[in-house]
Each structure stands twice: as C-alpha cells, then as structure tokens.
Amino acid sequence: MDTRALVRPACGSAVSLEAVYAAAVSHRFDALGADGVPRRLGIMGGTFDPIHIGHLACAEMARDACSLDAVVFTVAANPSLKQHRSIVDVHERIAMCSLAVADNRRFDVSAIEAARPGITYTSDTMRLVRHQFPDTVELFFIMGADSLRTLPHWHEANALKDMLRFICVSRPGRFDEGTLLHRCREQGFKIDQVSAPLLDVSSSEIRKRARAGRAIRYLVPHAVCSYIEEKHLYSAKG
Ligand code: ATP
Ligand code: MG
C-alpha cells in the first residue's frame, strides 16, 4: 500500500496519510506542551481491526471526563495478545483510523508502531511518546474495562505503572469491572474510572458481520464503512 496516498472520505476533506507517517507521534499534536503550558494527552491503544463507534465513544468519554487536551489512537502493528489470528495489514488499519478521526480536531492517529519489527508492546510505544513530549504533558492510557483482565500481565507492567495514569471506560461483557479495577489498583496501577453509555460493539463482531455480507453501517464511521466495502477488507473477496 502507498502510504503517501490520499485517503478520501466519502464526504468532507481529503486526509493525507503522508502527514501521519511523517510525524514523530502525531501530526496534529507533536508540538503539544512546547509552549510550557501543562497539558493532558490521552493515548488509546488498540488493534482497531477495524476502528468502530465503541472506540471513538470510549475516547471521547475519557477526553471529556478527564479534561484531556487531545487523544491519539496508536495502532498496534503486531500485538502480543492477538498472535492467534490474522489481522488486516497495519497500513489499512491506520488508513481507517485516519478516516475515523478526520472530523475531530482533538483526535489523531499515530503510525508510531507501524515500522517497528516484531511484537509491538505498549511499554515501548509509551517510552517513545514520553520522549516526544515535555514533562508538563501528562500521559493517560485509555482502555475499555475488558482490558483490565490482562493489564497486570502486560509486558513491562511495572514500567507502565510509573509512566502513566490509566483511564478505564465501561464496556459491556462477562467480567466484573469492580473486582478487576480493585485488583489492578492494589498492584499499583493508577486508574481513573469513567462510566459511559455501554456500547456493545466490537471489531470481532464487525468482522464477522462483514464476512457474512451483513450490514456494518453505523457501527463504524461512514467513511470507514465505504473503505471496507471498496477494499473488501473483511469479506471473502478480500
Ligand atoms: P476485538 O473484538 O478484535 O478484540 P475490540 O472491539 O475489542 O476488537 P480492540 O482494538 O481490541 O477492539 O480494543 C482497543 C481498545 O478499545 C481496548 O482498550 C478495548 O477495551 C476498547 N474498546 C473496544 N470496544 C469498546 C467498546 N465498545 N466500549 C468501550 N471500549 C472499547
Ligand atoms: Mg479487544
């Protein structure tokens, strides 16, 4: 895939992927904090295969509740927890995220993990992010509540505890958020809890629907839906 290509949302202005790939972390926010003003930056990590309204609402609810200045979606190239299945090419997932954030000036997408060989760990990404911004920029990692199940086992969990605050946004599922939150906090993770409307949407369900030729419109942003259809990303043809 030509990463310099322009991704054109069905409506609205064109999105330049070149700028996304040229950035240190985020083309919109690389200069955040350079003026010395304290800022709060949210990082939302994920596979985004594909990005959907649950991700976007989760990020927006966290931004609003925790007064974040910006949220950057970091797209995992090769996540350790998803080794058991094949994932759509990282550049396609970045293109979809770029389309999804185009109309929100407080959101951006980062290609920071795309060039890294091997398994992509959040700890490596967050070190790079920390290095990019002055200490006056406080870093928050946004996650849905289901991620609390695995958080204590993340690679270099202790380094993450020191580097970050976490924001946990409610998500439907068969798990006890309160118990998981308590366990993670006991282990030293600093976690803010954000209650939000529960959106029972997942990338797995969207992939399954697309494969079966069923509708995914309104579960993903319109431009993402068109992109998936044009490229047959999750259909038998793809
Ligand atoms: P998959 O079904 O393939 O695991 P997913 O929908 O869970 O996909 P991920 O890319 O795995 O999406 O998740 C990235 C982050 O977004 C995780 O922290 C996850 O908890 C959060 N998230 C995903 N969907 C929702 C949702 N509907 N509500 C709140 N948080 C969500
Ligand atoms: Mg998931």
Side-chain angles (χ1 to χ4, degrees), residues 99-137:
L99 291 171
V101 302
D103 65 354
N104 187 333
R105 63 185 180 84
R106 291 192 187 269
F107 283 2
D108 197 12
V109 55
S110 177
I112 192 173
E113 297 192 350
R116 204 182 308 151
I119 291 176
T120 32
Y121 291 113
T122 302
S123 54
D124 296 329
T125 304
M126 294 315 298
R127 260 190 219 101
L128 292 173
V129 173
R130 184 66 279 170
H131 185 72
Q132 170 65 24
F133 298 98
D135 290 346
T136 47
V137 174

Side-chain angles (χ1 to χ4, degrees), residues 47 55 82 146-147 171 202-204:
T47 313
H55 295 127
K82 304 235 164 124
D146 61 307
S147 299
R171 180 176 190 184
S202 67
S203 300
S204 326

Side-chain angles (χ1 to χ4, degrees), residues 22-226:
V25 172
S26 144
H27 80 285
R28 283 186 176 163
F29 306 119
D30 270 356
L32 193 75
D35 54 5
V37 177
R39 301 281 183 187
R40 305 179 126 209
L41 173 63
I43 299 292
M44 173 121 186
T47 313
F48 306 118
D49 189 20
I51 189 162
H52 56 69
I53 56 163
H55 295 127
L56 293 161
C58 172
E60 179 65 0
M61 297 305 123
R63 186 201 61 72
D64 177 57
C66 302
S67 305
L68 305 179
D69 293 287
V71 176
V72 175
F73 292 77
T74 53
V75 183
N78 188 18
S80 64
L81 297 176
K82 304 235 164 124
Q83 298 296 308
H84 58 283
R85 71 167 179 90
S86 66
I87 298 174
V88 158
D89 180 75
V90 65
H91 302 296
E92 300 288 19
R93 289 181 285 119
I94 288 172
M96 289 190 280
C97 287
S98 302
L99 291 171
V101 302
D103 65 354
N104 187 333
R105 63 185 180 84
R106 291 192 187 269
F107 283 2
D108 197 12
V109 55
S110 177
I112 192 173
E113 297 192 350
R116 204 182 308 151
I119 291 176
T120 32
Y121 291 113
T122 302
S123 54
D124 296 329
T125 304
M126 294 315 298
R127 260 190 219 101
L128 292 173
V129 173
R130 184 66 279 170
H131 185 72
Q132 170 65 24
F133 298 98
D135 290 346
T136 47
V137 174
E138 198 177 350
L139 297 182
F140 294 81
F141 192 91
I142 304 168
M143 53 165 54
D146 61 307
S147 299
L148 292 173
R149 292 180 297 197
T150 55
L151 180 61
H153 312 293
W154 286 13
H155 183 65
E156 294 192 289
N158 285 334
L160 288 170
K161 287 175 198 167
D162 295 338
M163 245 188 294
L164 296 171
R165 290 190 73 84
F166 289 82
I167 301 174
C168 167
V169 180
S170 38
R171 180 176 190 184
R174 266 180 260 127
F175 53 86
D176 179 351
E177 180 175 340
T179 306
L180 293 174
L181 199 57
H182 179 72
R183 189 186 68 175
C184 290
R185 282 180 174 149
E186 245 183 9
Q187 293 186 22
F189 290 97
K190 299 181 276 293
I191 309 177
D192 299 326
Q193 190 180 19
V194 170
S195 356
L198 296 176
L199 292 172
D200 197 358
V201 183
S202 67
S203 300
S204 326
E205 175 66 21
I206 290 166
R207 292 192 300 273
K208 204 161 93 187
R209 292 184 70 84
R211 263 198 306 272
R214 314 232 358 238
I216 58 167
R217 194 171 178 191
Y218 304 121
L219 299 179
V220 298
H222 183 60
V224 174
C225 187
S226 305

